[in-house]
Every structure is written in C-alpha cells, then in structure tokens.
C-alpha cells in the first residue's frame, strides 16, 4: 500500500509556528482524531489531530521545527485499500480561566456538541489571560528549569513562573502535580487531594468498606477546569446579587421574531432570549463601566475596557466552553442571533478557533433550558462579574389594583467585591431588569 502524506491544516494566518510536542512515533497505529502534534503560536496552543486511522511510517518534523499550513507532518499507511486523507483541522488548547458553575445555553439551538478534552491536549478553549512572556515579548520557555515540554507548556497556559514552583520529581524535576499544587497554593500530593495555602487537605477514604462503589474518572475538561475554579474560589471574594425582571412584553416580541425567522428565506433562523440578554448587558455595562473591567493588583487599580465582548457559557457532556460574541455593542438582536448560531455550529463541528473563545469582558451563564430558581455562578476571572439566569416563570404581580399574571425572569449577578460593592451591584441588576422589562430603552 502506498504511503499518504499528512500535512498541517489551515491554522489561520499563523506562519512559522513552532512544534512544541510530538505525540506519535514511527510504527504507532493511530485512530482518527488521535493527537499528532501540538503547535504554539503567540496567542494559543493548537493540537493537530489525525485525519484518519492508520500506521505511522515516518515523521517529517521534530520538536522545535517551525511550520505553516501545508507543512508535512508524517507519512501514514492508511486503514483500508485506496484510502485518502480527509482534511484535518487544528484545535486550540486552553488558557487559564474560571468557568461559570454548571451552565447551559438558553435554547437547544445554541448548545454545542461535546468537546473532547484532556489535561494538556485539549479540544476546546476556555477564555482567559495571555500566557506569560519573557524579554522582548517572546513566550517564556523556562530553559533553566528541569521540566518536560508538556509541563513547560502547562505552566505557560496557567500563567505560572516555573522558576518559583517547588519540585517533587526525581532529581529535582518539576511535575504537573507540582504546577497544579502551586496554582492552588498548596504542596504536591496524590492526584485529586490537594489544598490551598493554610487549608487542610481532604483525607482519602476507602468508601468500598461501606458498600459497592464504582470508580469513574473525571471528564478531561473538568480535570483542566478544576484548578481554575479552585483558584477563583480562593482568590475572588465573590458575592451574588439576586433580582428579577418582568419579561412578559419582551417574550411576546421574541416569539414574533422567532416565528418570522422559522420561515425566513433563504435560510431560516431562531431567536432565543440570549441575544436580548447580551444586548441588555452591554447597555448596562456602558452605564456601569467598572463591571467591564479587570483588577490590576500590580498597579493598584482597574483596567477599564472600552470594548464589549460577551461570553456565553455552553454546556456539553464533558463540561463547559465559553464562546464569545465580539463587539456586541455594534450588533443588533438579529446579528447577535446569527453569531450565536454560527458559533454553536462551529462548536458542534469542533472548528472554533482561539479568537472565538477569548477576549470576553463579561459572561452570561444560562440555565434557562433546564430550570432552577437561582444560583451563584463563579466569576470568570480576570472578569469581575458574571450574570446567571434560570428559567422564567409566570407569577402573580400586583399592579396597584389587582394581581395579574406576568412572566418573571430570575437574575443572579456574581461580582468581585474588591472591585464592586453591594450598592453598585444592586443598581446594576435593577438597571438590567429595567432594560429587559422595556427593550425600548436599548434605543436610548
């Protein structure tokens, strides 16, 4: 059988991207979507999966080589006679961030397909701060520390200086457990059993002594997001402000748009509540700019952003991903709806690129498609606030003369108390409710 060539797929405008990991060797039998190599640009890491199964014949590059679209990766003896290689697609790896607690998109149309993630080879991206850089703006390579390439890359993604991480491996090698323990402020220990600085560790328990048990591994995205959530929980003094909005009139208008969209030509579309939440949030963020900022502890101040990018937390069986609606202030309800649909479709196809999952200034976490009466989403640091919404419900509302049925939407605003005080949070939540109650305010 003749060998076929596997090349670097479309990776956008990136050129001369270094290869930081090679995950296969000659003789390996691989399956479609198995990771072949990992590339690292100045913005994100990208994993290149196998376009199909087969046997690796020969590698055509090595760690440190710089590649671009079309560069030859390896030759492959493909499964099945006369097989051809379909186009591969590079998948971005994550940078650090905390995620909203167990969120779901507002409607089924906005729900992406499951992402396949692993601890340091991830298909999907969580928005977060840029990796640390060395002199001249280059990515830090920690050449003076004893650690594997995977550990070095993990440290860059977690924004951790490896020179400050205590080593527990043989001969002073820094391990992934060391990096995770440093992130949590604790010391290295058994996987899954670590505490923050001054926080006692949870002791291991043999639960099988009490009855039948089943050991089930964490999903790979939860293995990754766990330290980020822990870091946010320990470092961000978060408070949640609850309110509710009367969306009776908004829902009637939304249904009108949605019904029209179902028969639109040439392509039907759907309109959910989420685009209205995005647009209303932008309006109120402009009124309360501190909510669209990030804390700058090194300079004892705030970085107030003059752009409005809204992340929305999407539920998958593996965990959460957060695509971002860019420049939401410049878009109307219909364009935001289209952006949501496009991002969701790309998520289902596994084609979201790093730019589509980075740069959020404020996040919305919606459980509206599931239910609940309220929850406290975890602030997606370095953002300073996140909005949580659950399913709306009909409730009797007093209008001054009588109780009338109105559709009420619960709102939960979590915020970093170092940046936002309770009075400001209450005003923000009330202003958001007022915009949702009368969307004509969006035109003001």
């Amino acid at each position: 059988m003749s060998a076929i060539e596997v090349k670097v797929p479309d990776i956008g405008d990136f050129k001369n991207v270094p290869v930081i990991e090679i995950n296969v060797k000659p003789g390996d039998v691989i399956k479609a979507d198995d990771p072949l190599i990992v590339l690292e640009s100045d913005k994100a890491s990208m994993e290149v999966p196998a376009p199909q199964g087969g046997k690796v014949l020969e590698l055509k590059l090595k760690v440190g080589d710089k590649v671009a679209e079309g560069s030859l990766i390896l030759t492959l003896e493909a499964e099945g006679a006369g097989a051809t290689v379909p186009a591969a697609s590079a998948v971005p790896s994550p940078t650090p961030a905390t995620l909203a607690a167990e969120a779901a998109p507002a409607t089924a149309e906005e729900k992406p397909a499951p992402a396949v993630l692993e601890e340091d080879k991830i298909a999907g991206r969580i928005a977060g701060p840029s990796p640390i850089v060395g002199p001249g703006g280059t990515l830090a390579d920690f050449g003076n520390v004893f650690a594997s390439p995977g550990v070095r890359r993990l440290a860059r993604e977690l924004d951790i200086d490896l020179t400050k991480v205590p080593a527990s491996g043989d001969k002073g090698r820094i391990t992934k457990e060391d990096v995770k323990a440093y992130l949590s402020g604790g010391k290295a220990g058994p996987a899954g059993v670590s505490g923050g600085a001054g926080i006692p560790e949870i002791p291991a328990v043999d639960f099988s002594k009490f009855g039948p048990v089943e050991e089930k591994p964490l999903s790979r995205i939860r293995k990754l997001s766990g330290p980020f959530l822990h870091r946010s929980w320990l470092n961000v003094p978060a408070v949640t402000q609850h309110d509710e909005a009367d969306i009776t009139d908004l829902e009637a208008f939304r249904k009108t748009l949605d019904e029209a969209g179902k028969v639109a030509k040439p392509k039907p579309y759907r309109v959910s509540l989420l685009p209205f939440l995005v647009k209303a949030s932008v309006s109120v963020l402009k009124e309360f700019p501190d909510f669209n900022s990030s804390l700058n502890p090194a300079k004892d101040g705030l970085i107030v952003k003059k752009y409005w990018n809204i992340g929305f937390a999407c539920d998958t069986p593996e965990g959460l991903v957060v695509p971002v609606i860019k420049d939401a202030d410049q878009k109307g309800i219909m364009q935001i709806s289209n952006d949501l649909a496009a991002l969701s479709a790309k998520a289902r196809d596994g084609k979201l690129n790093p730019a589509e999952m980075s740069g959020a200034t404020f996040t919305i976490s919606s459980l509206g498609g599931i239910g609940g009466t309220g929850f406290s989403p975890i602030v997606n640091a370095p953002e300073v606030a996140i909005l949580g919404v659950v399913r709306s419900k009909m409730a009797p509302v007093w209008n001054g003369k009588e109780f009338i049925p109105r559709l009420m939407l619960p709102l939960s605003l979590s915020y970093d108390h170092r940046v936002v005080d309770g009075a400001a949070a209450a005003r923000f939540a009330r202003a958001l409710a007022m915009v949702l109650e009368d969307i004509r305010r969006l035109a003001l």
Side-chain angles (χ1 to χ4, degrees), residues 100 107 235-236 370 372:
T107 65
N235 288 285
V236 177
I370 300 174

Side-chain angles (χ1 to χ4, degrees), residues 320-341:
L320 300 174
V321 292
V322 186
V324 180
I325 302 294
K326 297 293 178 63
D327 299 320
D329 60 308
Q330 302 174 29
K331 299 173 180 178
I333 296 297
M334 304 313 300
Q335 187 173 355
I336 292 174
S337 294
N338 290 334
D339 285 357
L340 287 168

Side-chain angles (χ1 to χ4, degrees), residues 98 227-238 376 378-379:
T98 58
F228 306 144
L229 293 165
H230 191 194
R231 180 172 66 179
S232 181
W233 185 257
L234 291 175
N235 288 285
V236 177
S376 296
I378 294 177
V379 175

Side-chain angles (χ1 to χ4, degrees), residues 240 242 367 371-377 388-391 410-412:
T240 303
H242 299 284
L367 291 168
T373 58
F375 69 108
S376 296
V389 297
V390 293
R391 181 179 294 171
L411 305 172
S412 300

Side-chain angles (χ1 to χ4, degrees), residues 71-82:
S71 298
L72 183 59
I73 300 174
L74 54 80
T75 56
L76 185 73
E77 182 180 87
E79 294 176 337

